[in-house]
Amino acid sequence: MGLTDGLNPEQKKAVTAPDGPLLILAGAGSGKTRTLTYRIAYLISEKHINPYNILAVTFTNKAAGEMKERVRSLVGENADHMWVSTFHSACIRILRSSIDLLGYDDRFTVYDTDDQKAVMKNVCKHLNIDTKRYKERTILSEISSAKNELMDPAEYEKYVFNDFTKTVYLRCYREYQEMLVRNNALDFDDIIMLTVKLFKEFPEVLEKYRERFKYILVDEYQDTNTAQFELIRLLADKYRNLCVVGDDDQSIYRFRGANIRNILDFEEHYPEAEVIKLEQNYRSTQYILDAANSVIANNEGRKEKRLWTDNGEGRKPVFNRFDTAYEEAEFVVSDIKRHSRDTEYGYGSCAVLYRTNAQSRIIEERLIFAGIPYNVVGGINFYSRAEIKDILAYLKVIDSGKDDLSVRRIVNVPKRSIGNATLEKVQDYAEARDKSLFAAMCEAGDIPGLGKAASKISVFTDLIGVLRAYRDNASLGELISQIIGLTGYEEYLKDLDEEKAEDRIGNVNELVSKAASFAESRPDATLSDFLEEVALVSDLDNADMNSERVVLMTLHSAKGLEFPVVYLTGMEDGLFPGYMSISSGDEEDIEEERRLAYVGMTRAEKELIMTCAKARMLRGETQFNPVSRFINEIPSQYLDGYIPKKKKDPYEEKSYTGGFGSSGGSYIKPVVRKNEGTKSSASSNVKPVFPKNTFASLGIQKGSEKVTAPASIDYSVGDRVRHFKFGAGTVTSIVKEPRDHKVTVDFDAHGTKVMYASFAKLVKE
């Protein structure tokens, strides 16, 4: 049996292609890894190329290990003599032998992320950089981007011009790099940048490796950045035996620095290149591929190809639009149960994909209530996420203050410099008097030995007191938003990890939506009732963890995977593609989102079910979004279920010409309408409404106290008014304060309440 037996004609053509540049455009599910592996085996066993002269590069150690094992299974131990590694592993090997030419010792250290942060902290301190204005992680991200574009500080300076912010980044970059050199250390991006520098400045070193690696193969070429492209170009420029494999339609890591032009412009850099397209798909059925082909065809920046399969037509992809996100989740979960009950596809055959992590919350809840086990891939269960636990801990302390564990969790979140030794003294005081930890904190001034720490504790307890007062006059959603605003929690998340902050803030906003939904469904419920429901929802003990599990993951996490049944949720303009991509005006942003949709659709082997909701709660507000443009790009003959009609939704405003797609088209601007009977606010915009001196006493940052209070109110003492939560009542007092009106109302059913007019929103009867 020959080596190429069992390969399809195009795979065989790619495997046996002659020397010279070779671009293998491998569509989703087309056997890319197999083709690349057989290409290496063919070079060794049929063309008798010395394995010593072969370099195969991929992006992960796991992929490199698997590739080497596959080649070994085909050609035996000869495979051990070639280099199969990641970009960074290969470059480290090169630098160990020659980095002394660049002024480094060959026993250099590679700094990880924590090391980089520590260096940048010292840099900012030395340069007197205001880290509240210029975040250390933001500076490191800018430096990383510069290095990926092969810009050292001198090159970066040319890019700065008169931009003051970039001038600050430049100062930090210079100092940071000097510190690395003094410490004989490289960061992750230096590894490739310095290898390129070594090759350019010392031609004899480059010549050595050109002679060594006469045949170079690169996997996932669409994900390479500028530095990686230049590295490979330098190595391959002499013999030009460069084989790259990738799919421009699956380039979804632009935010990490991937440059899709590397694969799109391959023939410009190598005019003599042979291009072979792998279009036969072994994963999906034809209807799924037809739908995916129709979507991706709208991208202008791509190589033309169309996937096909011998797997049969299969079932048409299904699309359903529901009134609410809750109904969408109910459908997904009930359909998963149907598959498990009536088909061969158990829980482990089903994957639920979404654009953002926050979307998993409502799906997780419905799965838990249905007793269906699941795994969140690339993340953790919604209610187990640190940011959600933080906010829930605040709510528990506000509710009763008897939960010592919750008090300990939030006392330094955000940081308040209350040390463990101080907490132990308070704990001892509490135990000696049979009090809760929080109750003892309220008596901090009476606890011996606390010194200045007592005032820090008082700031915390005063904050809880303010929030408790607010609890009595606001909705749950507003209370959570107020916690976020008063504590500066968003800034805290950004300080922790700016790269992950947006996702974490999205999760917190989803908790605001959960609270608003809860208040809408149970208007008389208390904070205790809400905490009780959340505790029940987040309890996974009732799920059968020994059986197969449904997989939940973001679309980015799904790349490279496949499942018999795929649910692609949240297919709405504004969510997928997101508002930022739509409003940026950059067509490349939309094309990247479209590639992500294509990746999601081509994960499905047998069934693809796509869903969206007319109304979805985001940050506590009900938002009405039109159907995703990606759904509208699928011809009706490839879809089952509800086919959206391109007409104005009664809840949507006038459409306007967008120019967002390759042929222009229109985009329906969503309308945000607040829930009736439910107060809600976006955490990112919340401004606390309390007298100015209240904030000063709590040590709250400037800016937090900026509010928009009514200049006047249309009711007076003695008037009858109505409150959304407490109903009808009589105004008994109005006090004009510097920033708002403090109003006292004797409510018919709820007694006397004191509140501020800006949030009370009392309506005169």
Side-chain angles (χ1 to χ4, degrees):
M1 183 175 180
L3 179 66
T4 59
D5 290 349
L7 300 176
N8 69 41
E10 293 305 304
Q11 289 175 332
K12 187 178 295 187
K13 186 178 178 182
V15 166
T16 61
D19 287 358
L22 173 63
L23 170 60
I24 303 175
L25 289 172
S30 62
K32 166 183 69 69
T33 303
R34 187 181 190 214
T35 302
L36 185 60
T37 302
Y38 273 73
R39 170 74 176 172
I40 297 171
Y42 176 80
L43 291 174
I44 296 172
S45 62
E46 302 294 329
K47 295 203 66 176
H48 306 293
I49 303 301
N50 188 337
Y52 180 84
N53 295 127
I54 296 175
L55 170 65
V57 188
T58 187
F59 277 83
T60 67
N61 289 318
K62 180 181 178 183
E66 290 176 351
M67 187 185 300
K68 194 161 190 174
E69 284 301 315
R70 290 191 184 193
V71 175
R72 184 184 286 115
S73 69
L74 294 172
V75 301
E77 294 182 0
N78 277 335
D80 295 337
H81 299 290
M82 65 179 188
W83 276 23
V84 181
S85 67
T86 64
F87 278 96
H88 291 90
S89 295
C91 287
I92 285 177
R93 292 179 70 175
I94 293 169
L95 291 174
R96 289 291 182 197
S97 65
S98 304
I99 199 172
D100 59 301
L101 296 172
L102 297 176
Y104 289 80
D105 189 292
D106 60 9
R107 292 169 294 180
F108 59 82
T109 301
V110 177
Y111 277 178
D112 62 17
T113 302
D114 289 336
D115 296 327
Q116 289 178 260
K117 292 174 185 175
V119 172
M120 185 52 65
K121 185 176 182 179
N122 289 333
V123 167
C124 291
K125 184 177 180 180
H126 182 257
L127 297 177
N128 294 315
I129 301 296
D130 181 1
T131 54
K132 291 183 178 179
R133 182 177 179 185
Y134 302 100
K135 304 294 183 184
E136 293 159 4
R137 286 180 176 82
T138 303
I139 300 170
L140 283 170
S141 177
E142 181 74 7
I143 292 172
S144 176
S145 297
K147 290 184 177 183
N148 286 337
E149 292 298 320
L150 295 174
M151 290 191 288
D152 60 15
E155 285 296 315
Y156 184 77
E157 185 174 7
K158 300 174 186 176
Y159 169 72
V160 168
F161 299 112
N162 294 320
D163 188 316
F164 182 78
T165 298
K166 293 192 182 300
T167 301
V168 174
Y169 293 158
L170 174 61
R171 291 173 58 211
C172 293
Y173 189 2
R174 285 173 174 158
E175 184 74 14
Y176 172 79
Q177 207 61 24
E178 287 174 8
M179 284 192 178
L180 290 184
V181 172
R182 284 199 299 269
N183 291 318
N184 196 46
L186 314 182
D187 65 18
F188 206 57
D189 300 307
D190 280 331
I191 294 170
I192 295 177
M193 187 175 77
L194 290 180
T195 305
V196 171
K197 182 179 182 181
L198 178 69
F199 286 165
K200 287 184 174 181
E201 293 185 2
F202 298 92
E204 68 276 14
V205 177
L206 175 59
E207 181 64 19
K208 169 187 172 182
Y209 286 100
R210 280 177 172 174
E211 286 298 319
R212 169 75 191 265
F213 301 127
K214 296 179 180 179
Y215 290 82
I216 301 172
L217 304 97
V218 184
D219 194 12
E220 302 288 5
Y221 192 66
Q222 77 280 350
D223 294 332
T224 54
N225 61 31
T226 300
Q228 291 160 339
F229 166 82
E230 185 64 9
L231 174 75
I232 295 301
R233 187 194 68 79
L234 288 169
L235 284 171
D237 210 35
K238 181 175 183 178
Y239 291 101
R240 302 178 77 80
N241 292 321
L242 173 62
C243 170
V244 301
V245 184
D247 182 8
D248 51 301
D249 290 336
Q250 295 187 77
S251 179
I252 59 173
Y253 296 119
R254 184 181 175 209
F255 66 97
R256 293 181 184 170
N259 186 353
I260 194 174
R261 301 311 311 180
N262 292 347
I263 191 168
L264 293 180
D265 298 340
F266 187 81
E267 294 144 282
E268 292 183 20
H269 297 291
Y270 301 94
E272 75 275 30
E274 182 173 2
V275 180
I276 298 172
K277 299 178 182 179
L278 303 184
E279 297 173 292
Q280 182 174 358
N281 177 282
Y282 292 91
R283 176 187 300 151
S284 307
T285 53
Q286 190 61 52
Y287 270 128
I288 292 172
L289 297 180
D290 287 339
N293 286 332
S294 299
V295 172
I296 200 63
N298 289 275
N299 271 8
E300 292 185 349
R302 68 184 293 262
K303 301 278 191 179
E304 179 61 35
K305 53 188 170 299
R306 188 171 184 85
L307 298 181
W308 62 275
T309 186
D310 283 335
N311 293 339
E313 286 189 339
R315 182 185 176 188
K316 289 183 180 180
V318 174
F319 174 71
N320 281 300
R321 190 184 191 196
F322 299 91
D323 287 335
T324 66
Y326 178 88
E327 291 179 12
E328 178 191 38
E330 280 284 293
F331 165 77
V332 169
V333 172
S334 64
D335 202 55
I336 290 171
K337 290 188 76 171
R338 178 187 66 79
H339 274 104
S340 180
R341 182 183 65 247
D342 301 334
T343 74
E344 62 186 292
Y345 307 124
Y347 295 148
S349 299
C350 300
V352 183
L353 310 182
Y354 36 79
R355 182 64 182 86
T356 65
N357 275 313
Q359 289 173 252
S360 74
R361 191 270 300 173
I362 193 168
I363 298 169
E364 289 185 57
E365 287 188 4
R366 303 327 302 162
L367 288 168
I368 292 167
F369 281 130
I372 298 176
Y374 68 92
N375 272 337
V376 179
V377 176
I380 56 177
N381 296 338
F382 183 81
Y383 289 104
S384 298
R385 292 166 183 161
E387 58 273 18
I388 301 303
K389 283 182 169 289
D390 287 344
I391 302 301
L392 291 176
Y394 267 104
L395 291 174
K396 290 173 184 176
V397 175
I398 292 166
D399 191 42
S400 72
K402 294 182 179 179
D403 183 350
D404 288 359
L405 189 63
S406 293
V407 172
R408 282 185 172 273
R409 181 179 185 92
I410 63 171
V411 69
N412 279 307
V413 175
K415 188 176 180 181
R416 298 185 179 92
S417 301
I418 300 173
N420 288 330
T422 296
L423 286 176
E424 290 307 315
K425 289 178 183 178
V426 179
Q427 186 72 59
D428 292 342
Y429 179 89
E431 291 175 358
R433 290 158 181 78
D434 196 24
K435 294 176 178 286
S436 69
L437 180 60
F438 185 78
M441 284 180 167
C442 293
E443 301 173 9
D446 300 328
I447 301 176
L450 289 188
K452 293 181 180 179
S455 61
K456 297 176 182 178
I457 293 174
S458 294
V459 169
F460 173 67
T461 56
D462 287 349
L463 172 65
I464 299 300
V466 169
L467 290 169
R468 283 179 174 173
Y470 195 84
R471 169 195 58 187
D472 298 330
N473 299 286
S475 69
L476 280 170
E478 281 184 326
L479 177 59
I480 296 174
S481 294
Q482 198 67 14
I483 292 170
I484 298 165
L486 283 175
T487 61
Y489 192 72
E490 286 194 6
E491 287 303 311
Y492 164 74
L493 290 178
K494 291 175 183 177
D495 288 340
L496 276 182
D497 191 333
E498 191 156 7
E499 289 184 6
K500 297 179 181 178
E502 184 177 349
D503 202 29
R504 288 174 173 172
I505 291 167
N507 292 333
V508 173
N509 287 334
E510 181 62 22
L511 185 64
V512 176
S513 296
K514 164 66 179 177
S517 296
F518 176 82
E520 184 178 15
S521 63
R522 296 178 59 184
D524 296 327
T526 64
L527 174 57
S528 297
D529 295 330
F530 174 72
L531 291 171
E532 181 180 317
E533 171 160 313
V534 167
L536 291 173
V537 167
S538 59
D539 183 1
L540 303 181
D541 292 339
N542 294 326
D544 179 7
M545 293 303 176
N546 294 319
S547 62
E548 289 186 295
R549 304 182 187 187
V550 176
V551 174
L552 275 63
M553 68 176 75
T554 64
L555 286 152
H556 280 101
S557 298
K559 186 173 180 290
L561 303 177
E562 55 190 43
F563 304 91
V565 182
V566 168
Y567 297 87
L568 195 50
T569 62
M571 298 297 292
E572 304 144 30
D573 263 21
L575 188 60
F576 189 31
Y579 286 131
M580 290 183 66
S581 296
I582 292 170
S583 62
S584 72
D586 187 347
E587 183 60 27
E588 289 188 12
D589 288 341
I590 294 295
E591 295 210 349
E592 177 103 348
E593 291 281 285
R594 188 175 284 111
R595 291 192 291 269
L596 192 56
Y598 173 81
V599 166
M601 296 171 74
T602 55
R603 300 311 95 193
E605 297 174 351
K606 302 296 183 183
E607 294 189 32
L608 173 63
I609 301 99
M610 296 175 287
T611 61
C612 77
K614 293 180 182 178
R616 185 179 301 273
M617 191 171 286
L618 297 173
R619 298 174 296 278
E621 296 181 340
T622 299
Q623 188 166 291
F624 295 87
N625 290 325
V627 173
S628 171
R629 65 194 64 198
F630 304 145
I631 294 295
N632 288 325
E633 290 168 354
I634 303 173
S636 59
Q637 64 264 32
Y638 299 147
L639 281 178
D640 267 341
Y642 172 79
I643 310 299
K645 295 180 180 179
K646 296 182 181 179
K647 65 179 182 179
K648 181 179 176 182
D649 189 294
Y651 292 117
E652 291 163 350
E653 290 181 341
K654 186 177 180 181
S655 64
Y656 60 91
T657 302
F660 297 112
S662 58
S663 58
S666 65
Y667 164 65
I668 307 298
K669 185 179 180 181
V671 171
V672 176
R673 302 195 314 173
K674 295 198 174 184
N675 294 310
E676 296 179 4
T678 303
K679 295 293 178 183
S680 52
S681 59
S683 65
S684 59
N685 297 320
V686 68
K687 302 298 180 186
V689 182
F690 288 99
K692 186 172 182 179
N693 58 354
T694 302
F695 294 92
S697 68
L698 294 177
I700 294 171
Q701 298 175 352
K702 284 185 177 180
S704 298
E705 62 195 63
K706 293 180 182 177
V707 298
T708 303
S712 62
I713 52 179
D714 63 356
Y715 47 83
S716 305
V717 174
D719 284 346
R720 295 285 291 176
V721 294
R722 179 168 292 278
H723 185 269
F724 77 96
K725 181 176 180 181
F726 304 125
T730 302
V731 178
T732 60
S733 172
I734 299 176
V735 179
K736 179 69 170 69
E737 294 192 347
R739 305 195 67 82
D740 206 349
H741 296 81
K742 185 164 67 175
V743 184
T744 304
V745 182
D746 185 9
F747 289 102
D748 299 344
H750 292 275
T752 301
K753 303 288 183 184
V754 180
M755 58 196 71
Y756 286 92
S758 295
F759 278 102
K761 296 181 175 63
L762 298 169
V763 179
K764 185 178 178 180
E765 290 193 324

